[in-house]
């Protein structure tokens, strides 16, 4: 009789390819501790800053006897679904195929297992795995393991040591692992009774940041759920815990949700000083912002433990940022919320992918996601109704207020102004009304212009958000080609595939920059007035434009005045000025007859008495084919396909900041030179 046999290389492939990063492998071992009813689990990293260190995972779970090791721990790929039962602590096991464990064990050349079963007090079983033994074997079955039994005075539990690590853990790796461990079992509502600890200096610092809880400082608290029948309900509370809106299932969806019973909890924060000062809280919005940087976004918890990648810093699985770009006034972003979707899933409707990163997108998962998005849509719709009602009420009230004010002025003139002076006063009032009406007309025209710009901006944001998925796919494909190319081509890889793969990485980098650009500019908090650090904004915008500079082979020089010059205004206005001036400079090189080589842009800051000057110079062809007093007029452009709105925005933004803007057709570098002059904030104000 013949059987399938497996080459030892299959173990290496399963370990390396199915789990993409080391910390995920460690998390899988921690999940095994959870399945074993452990209430405490400790991860120790020893000398991991260099190759050859070791990792120790210890727990106080129920442990394993000899049969448990042979028929469970050493069996790979067996699904536990058919025999899955609730543990003594009432937990539903999260382990499935046993492949995640393999990835972690293969991080080193040697593994030591020590386990003490709860039902055999005083007994310890141990096992050693030397991965080098498999290199000399023809098939996996040729390597046998000897399980040793000994007497111990230790309590029940399991210790796994992975020795002689193949890779190092730098500070960033450890910080990421610490954060993953802290949020694995919801640190803010941990009913599962599972405590995790990482023995590393970085852990206590991040633990302190994560465990700070500022839920009471949220502007809104959303609570929603689905029951066993797929019926949803939701409510929205304000910061004083008063219910603002409530929803029945029909308010959220016209169809039942075909997914397990689920809870969705979300806290929405308004990150501005005004919101916090209004409540007389001792917490600053800066503290909350730093906290959200660690724990913000919406995570998914399945059977008590978190499922990656949902809620990772770069994972917007509920499309929060995309929706915010469409309507920033009433929608949160991944950086202004903390939330959790909690699913019990007793019937195994949700299936994790083989690499343990996310769920297979079957009907149950898609319905779960639809529920969360539907609830967010309901919340935004209700908030928008209130906002629009208030806006319409103000719009209707303003004409009445104007009429009443005019009538009141006439009454006062009639009652208080002498007869001989009334004609002059009435003439002055009439003149004021004429100027006001003229200003109102200009504002209406500006409003139409900026509505058009807003439409273009939000449309760009939608495209930017949607492009993120294929852009990420480009990088993944490039990595796969690189990995497989090096494996099969060896030294010939660089000659055959090195250059095109490098180009794929560059394309990914460029597209990622383009997709992040509009989302960065549309952040709502940037429109709030306050102290603006000029150099900080210039540096941020320079970083955003860097890919464009690189693609255009443009040298950018920053000549910044000493100190930290600040103005009073909004980041959004200053960004609008710098963005359009830099875009203008880049376009100056892309015209017929434009400079091809040695392209240069200078961004310079100067202080002259109480004013700050921001200068943007280039060595392009300069300003020509247009009068200098027409360059800021809407629609005026010398570039084919240009909108003629960039310098209009610069002019209006500078005016809003109380400054002035001038242009020199051929400046210091030979090209256009723009000078923006703004009033500096005095040091005593800062």
């Amino acid at each position: 009789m013949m059987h399938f046999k497996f080459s030892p290389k299959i173990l290496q492939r399963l370990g390396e390819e199915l789990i993409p990063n080391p910390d995920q492998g460690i998390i899988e071992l921690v999940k095994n501790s959870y399945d074993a009813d452990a209430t405490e689990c400790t991860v120790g990293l020893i000398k991991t800053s260099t190759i050859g260190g070791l990792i120790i995972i210890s727990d106080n779970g129920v442990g394993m006897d000899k049969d448990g090791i042979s028929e469970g721990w050493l069996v790979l790929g067996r699904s536990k679904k058919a025999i899955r039962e609730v543990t003594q602590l009432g937990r539903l096991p999260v382990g499935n195929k046993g492949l995640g464990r393999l990835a972690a064990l293969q991080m080193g050349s040697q593994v030591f297992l020590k386990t003490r079963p709860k039902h055999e007090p005083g007994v310890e079983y141990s096992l050693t795995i030397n991965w080098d033994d498999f290199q000399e074997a023809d098939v996996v079955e040729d390597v046998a393991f000897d399980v040793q039994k000994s007497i111990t005075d230790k309590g029940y539990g399991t210790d796994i040591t992975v020795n002689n690590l193949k890779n190092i853990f730098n500070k960033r790796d450890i910080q990421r692992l610490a954060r993953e461990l802290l949020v694995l079992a919801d640190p803010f509502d941990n009913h599962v009774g599972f405590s995790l600890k990482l023995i590393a200096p970085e852990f206590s610092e991040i633990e302190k940041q994560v465990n700070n809880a500022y839920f009471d400082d949220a502007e809104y608290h959303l609570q929603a759920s689905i029951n066993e029948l797929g019926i949803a309900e939701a409510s929205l509370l304000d910061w004083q815990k008063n219910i603002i809106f409530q929803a029945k299932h029909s308010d959220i969806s016209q169809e039942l949700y075909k997914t397990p019973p689920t809870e969705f909890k979300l806290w929405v924060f308004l990150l501005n000083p005004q919101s916090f000062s209004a409540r007389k809280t001792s917490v600053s919005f800066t503290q909350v912002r730093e906290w959200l940087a660690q724990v913000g976004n919406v995570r998914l918890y399945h059977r008590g433990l978190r499922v990656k990648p949902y809620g990772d810093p770069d994972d917007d699985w509920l499309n929060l940022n995309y929706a915010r770009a469409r309507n920033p006034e009433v929608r949160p972003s991944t950086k202004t919320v903390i939330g959790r979707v909690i699913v019990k899933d007793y019937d195994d409707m949700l299936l994790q992918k083989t690499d343990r990163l996310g769920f297979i997108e079957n009907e149950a998962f898609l319905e779960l996601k639809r529920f969360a998005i539907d609830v967010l849509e309901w919340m935004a719709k209700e908030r928008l109704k209130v906002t629009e009602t208030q806006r319409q009420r103000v719009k209707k009230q303003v004409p009445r207020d104007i009429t009443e004010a005019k009538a009141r002025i006439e009454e006062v003139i009639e009652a208080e102004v002498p007869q001989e002076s009334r004609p002059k006063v009435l003439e002055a009032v009439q003149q004021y009304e004429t100027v006001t009406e003229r200003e109102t007309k200009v504002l209406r025209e500006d409003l139409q212009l900026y509505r058009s710009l807003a439409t273009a901006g939000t449309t760009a944001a939608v495209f930017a958000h949607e492009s993120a998925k294929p852009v990420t796919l480009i990088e993944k494909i490039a990595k796969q080609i690189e990995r497989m190319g090096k494996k099969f081509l060896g030294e010939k890889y660089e000659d055959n595939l090195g250059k095109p793969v490098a180009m794929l990485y560059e394309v990914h980098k460029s597209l990622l920059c383009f997709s992040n650009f509009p989302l960065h500019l549309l952040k709502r908090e940037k429109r709030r007035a306050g102290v603006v650090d000029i150099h900080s904004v210039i540096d941020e915008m320079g970083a955003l434009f860097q890919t464009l500079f690189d693609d255009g082979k443009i040298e950018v020089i920053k000549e910044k005045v000493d100190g930290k010059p600040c103005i009073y205004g909004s980041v959004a206005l200053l960004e609008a000025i710098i963005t359009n001036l830099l875009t203008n400079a880049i376009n100056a090189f892309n015209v017929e007859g434009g400079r091809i080589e040695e392209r240069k842009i200078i961004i310079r800051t100067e202080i002259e008495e109480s004013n700050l000057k921001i200068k943007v110079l280039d060595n392009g062809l300069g300003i020509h084919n247009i009068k200098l007093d027409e360059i800021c007029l809407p629609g005026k452009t010398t570039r084919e396909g240009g909108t003629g709105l960039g310098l209009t925005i610069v002019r209006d933004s500078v005016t809003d900041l109380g400054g002035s803007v001038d242009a020199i057709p051929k400046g210091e570098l030979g090209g256009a030179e723009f000078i923006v002059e703004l009033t500096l904030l005095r040091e005593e104000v800062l």
Side-chain angles (χ1 to χ4, degrees):
M1 186 176 294
M2 296 184 181
H3 303 278
F4 276 116
K5 296 181 180 180
F6 294 94
S7 165
K9 288 186 178 180
I10 196 70
L11 294 177
Q12 181 180 357
R13 291 194 63 181
L14 286 172
E16 292 179 355
E17 296 183 15
L18 293 180
I19 302 296
N21 51 60
D23 52 307
Q24 185 61 21
I26 295 173
I27 293 294
E28 290 302 317
L29 288 180
V30 172
K31 288 181 179 180
N32 287 347
S33 297
Y34 176 82
D35 287 348
D37 265 355
T39 57
E40 296 177 1
C41 180
T42 301
V43 178
L45 302 178
I46 301 174
K47 295 181 179 179
T48 53
S49 59
T50 58
I51 293 176
L54 59 92
I55 298 174
I56 303 174
I57 295 98
S58 303
D59 68 52
N60 63 348
V62 295
M64 296 175 283
D65 57 21
K66 193 170 184 178
D67 287 341
I69 297 172
S70 175
E71 300 303 318
W73 199 76
L74 289 174
V75 178
L76 303 175
R78 175 188 294 167
S79 174
K80 295 181 179 180
K81 288 182 180 178
I83 56 173
R84 181 171 286 167
E85 296 178 356
V86 176
T87 67
Q88 289 185 357
L89 291 183
R91 298 175 183 170
L92 272 171
V94 296
N96 192 358
K97 300 179 177 63
L99 299 177
R101 176 173 69 250
L102 177 63
L105 299 181
Q106 288 205 315
M107 290 167 59
S109 64
Q110 198 173 45
V111 178
F112 302 105
L113 169 70
K114 293 183 178 181
T115 182
R116 300 166 294 279
K118 185 176 182 179
H119 64 274
E120 293 184 45
V123 174
E124 180 176 83
Y125 294 95
S126 58
L127 168 70
T128 300
I129 300 175
N130 289 300
W131 292 114
D132 291 342
D133 294 344
F134 288 90
Q135 301 299 322
E136 302 173 4
D138 293 326
V139 293
V140 172
E141 291 86 345
D142 290 344
V143 180
F145 299 111
D146 183 21
V147 178
Q148 301 290 325
K149 181 178 180 180
S150 59
I151 304 302
T152 181
D153 58 358
K154 293 183 178 180
Y156 54 83
T158 299
D159 306 319
I160 297 173
T161 302
V162 182
N163 195 21
N164 194 21
L165 296 179
K166 303 171 187 175
N167 299 305
I168 66 172
F169 279 73
N170 57 38
K171 185 174 181 179
R172 182 175 294 180
D173 294 330
I174 296 173
Q175 288 176 332
R176 186 178 63 242
L177 176 60
R179 192 178 295 108
E180 292 296 331
L181 290 172
L182 283 166
V183 299
L184 180 61
D186 186 354
F188 308 112
D189 192 18
N190 190 355
H191 296 308
V192 299
F194 187 49
S195 174
L196 287 162
K197 191 76 176 178
L198 174 65
I199 307 301
E202 292 81 0
F203 183 80
S204 57
E205 177 186 341
I206 294 178
E207 182 180 35
K208 182 179 179 181
Q209 288 179 310
V210 169
N211 287 343
N212 284 331
Y214 299 117
F215 294 103
D216 289 341
D217 296 290
E219 194 74 18
Y220 301 103
H221 178 200
L222 174 68
Q223 298 175 333
S225 63
I226 311 172
N227 65 16
E228 294 82 357
L229 301 176
I231 299 173
E233 62 180 11
S235 58
L236 185 66
L237 290 72
D238 63 17
W239 65 278
Q240 294 177 311
K241 297 182 175 58
N242 299 316
I243 294 177
I244 311 172
F245 311 116
Q246 281 187 307
K248 299 178 292 185
H249 182 89
S250 58
D251 299 321
I252 302 170
S253 173
Q254 299 304 309
E255 300 176 2
L256 298 177
Y257 293 101
K258 300 174 183 177
T259 197
T262 301
E263 287 184 60
F264 181 18
K265 300 178 181 180
L266 185 79
W267 288 262
V268 182
F269 294 81
L270 296 185
L271 296 183
N272 63 76
Q274 294 86 352
S275 175
F276 284 81
S277 61
R279 303 178 198 164
K280 299 180 181 179
T281 175
S282 60
V283 176
S284 71
F285 79 101
T286 304
Q287 289 174 287
V288 177
R289 183 170 57 192
E290 291 173 354
W291 177 65
L292 287 173
Q294 294 291 341
V295 298
N297 212 337
V298 181
R299 294 179 176 83
L300 175 56
Y301 287 85
H302 184 242
R303 298 199 171 106
L305 295 186
R306 187 194 163 212
V307 179
K308 281 179 67 68
Y310 311 115
D312 279 352
D314 58 349
D315 183 78
D316 186 13
W317 69 290
L318 295 181
N319 299 327
L320 289 174
N321 296 332
Y322 167 67
R324 179 177 173 81
R326 287 187 287 127
N327 201 334
E329 193 171 6
V330 295
R331 292 180 183 272
S333 72
T334 53
K335 294 183 178 180
T336 61
V337 300
I338 178 172
R340 46 187 181 259
V341 176
I342 306 162
V343 192
K344 293 292 185 182
D345 193 19
Y346 294 102
D347 299 321
D348 288 306
M349 295 174 71
L350 297 174
L351 308 174
Q352 277 203 318
K353 296 176 182 176
T354 303
D355 63 3
R356 315 296 287 156
L357 287 177
F359 288 112
I360 295 171
E361 295 196 352
N362 59 10
E363 182 183 43
F365 175 74
L366 293 176
E367 286 287 282
L368 173 70
K369 186 174 177 179
R370 181 173 72 89
F371 157 69
I373 292 176
D374 285 350
V375 169
L376 290 170
E377 287 289 331
W378 166 79
M379 178 179 73
K381 181 180 67 177
E382 295 300 325
R383 289 184 61 195
L384 185 60
K385 285 180 183 177
V386 172
T387 302
E388 283 300 308
T389 300
Q390 291 173 344
R391 184 180 289 122
Q392 293 302 319
R393 185 165 58 243
V394 170
K395 286 176 71 174
K396 290 179 180 178
Q397 186 61 36
V398 165
R400 297 196 200 104
D401 291 344
I402 292 173
T403 302
E404 290 175 5
K406 288 173 68 176
R408 178 60 181 157
I409 289 173
E410 291 173 359
E411 288 176 7
V412 171
I413 292 173
E414 187 72 28
E416 304 294 338
V417 178
Q419 185 70 37
E420 62 274 13
S421 301
R422 287 179 191 175
K424 290 183 179 180
V425 174
L426 289 171
E427 182 182 353
V429 171
Q430 182 63 44
Q431 186 179 6
Y432 175 77
E433 288 180 2
T434 302
V435 172
T436 304
E437 287 174 4
R438 190 184 308 140
E439 181 186 31
T440 303
K441 183 181 178 182
V442 171
L443 288 173
R444 286 199 187 101
E445 291 173 352
D446 279 355
L447 180 61
Q448 292 183 45
L449 169 63
Y450 285 101
R451 276 178 178 163
S452 298
L453 290 173
T455 302
T458 52
T459 302
V462 170
F463 280 108
H465 181 275
E466 287 302 300
S467 68
K469 297 174 185 176
V471 167
T472 303
L473 188 59
I474 289 173
E475 184 185 34
K476 288 182 179 179
I477 291 171
K479 286 182 178 178
Q480 190 172 6
I481 294 173
E482 183 180 29
R483 185 174 65 251
M484 301 305 292
K486 288 180 178 179
K487 179 177 181 180
F488 290 109
L489 296 178
E491 295 180 356
K492 296 181 179 179
Y493 167 80
E494 288 299 332
D495 295 334
N496 292 275
L497 292 176
K499 190 172 181 180
V501 169
M503 289 175 65
L504 279 176
Y505 281 126
E506 285 300 316
V507 169
H508 163 263
K509 183 180 175 183
S510 296
L511 291 175
L512 193 62
C513 170
F514 300 151
S515 65
N516 286 337
F517 212 112
L519 297 176
H520 174 87
L521 295 176
L522 283 170
K523 292 179 179 177
R524 184 185 182 187
E525 57 268 22
K526 294 183 177 183
R527 301 196 294 273
R528 299 190 181 99
V531 178
V532 179
D533 180 347
I534 299 294
H535 288 167
S536 176
V537 174
I538 289 174
D539 289 340
E540 274 194 32
M541 299 313 299
L544 274 176
F545 271 90
Q546 192 58 53
T547 301
L548 293 173
F549 296 146
D550 293 341
D551 288 347
K553 296 181 174 56
I554 301 170
E555 179 188 4
V556 177
I557 301 170
K558 297 176 187 174
E559 299 177 354
K560 295 187 286 189
V561 68
D562 293 338
K564 184 182 176 182
C566 294
I567 64 167
Y568 186 82
S570 72
V571 172
L573 285 174
L574 190 59
E575 283 187 345
I577 295 166
I578 295 171
T579 296
N580 282 289
L581 290 180
L582 289 178
T583 302
N584 210 56
I586 293 171
N587 288 333
F589 297 119
N590 297 327
V591 297
E592 185 177 350
R595 179 184 289 271
I596 303 298
E597 297 179 347
E598 297 182 357
R599 297 173 167 182
K600 185 182 293 185
I601 295 174
I602 293 179
I603 307 172
R604 180 184 295 159
T605 57
E606 299 174 351
I607 292 179
E608 190 173 292
E609 296 180 352
S610 61
N611 291 337
L612 171 80
K613 288 186 177 181
I614 304 171
K615 297 184 177 181
V616 177
L617 312 80
D618 65 68
N619 63 346
L621 297 178
I623 300 171
H624 57 93
N625 297 332
I626 188 172
K627 294 179 180 179
L628 203 57
D629 60 357
E630 293 182 356
I631 61 173
C632 290
L633 295 178
K636 288 287 185 178
T637 179
T638 60
R639 186 171 61 88
E640 187 177 350
T643 63
L645 296 174
L647 292 179
T648 304
I649 295 171
V650 171
R651 179 200 63 193
D652 291 352
S653 298
V654 171
T655 301
D656 288 347
L657 290 172
S660 62
V661 58
D662 292 308
I664 302 174
K666 287 192 174 293
E668 179 183 323
L669 296 183
E673 181 173 336
F674 288 90
I675 305 102
V676 173
E677 191 165 349
L678 303 170
T679 302
L680 275 171
L681 274 182
R682 300 188 307 275
E683 289 187 11
E684 56 265 30
V685 176
L686 297 174

